[in-house]
Amino acid sequence: MQLAFLPFVIASVVGRGMRFYLVAGLMRWGGPKMENALRQHIETIGWATVALAVLAYLLLR
C-alpha cells in the first residue's frame, strides 16, 4: 500500500472532525430525544455510511 502519509493524516483529521461536529450539531438541534435515537441506531448509521461510500466509489471510478 503506497499511500502518502501526510494526505492520509489530513483526510483522517478532517473526516473525524466532520463526524464530531455532525454529532454535536445533531445533539444541539434534537436534544435528549436525538441523543437517544443516535445511541440506538449509531451502528446502523455507521454501516450505512460505509456502504454508501463504497457504492459511490464503485460508481464514480
Side-chain angles (χ1 to χ4, degrees):
M1 296 182 63
Q2 296 179 351
L3 183 66
F5 183 71
L6 187 58
F8 171 74
V9 170
I10 292 170
S12 296
V13 168
V14 169
R16 288 185 182 272
M18 288 173 56
R19 179 179 179 262
F20 174 80
Y21 283 109
L22 174 65
V23 171
L26 287 172
M27 294 297 136
R28 182 179 170 102
W29 176 67
K33 188 175 178 180
M34 181 63 76
E35 181 179 358
N36 291 334
L38 275 176
R39 287 188 189 276
Q40 185 177 9
H41 300 290
I42 196 71
E43 187 78 20
T44 304
I45 293 168
W47 284 112
T49 303
V50 169
L52 287 173
V54 169
L55 183 63
Y57 170 76
L58 292 174
L59 291 174
L60 297 174
R61 70 178 172 119

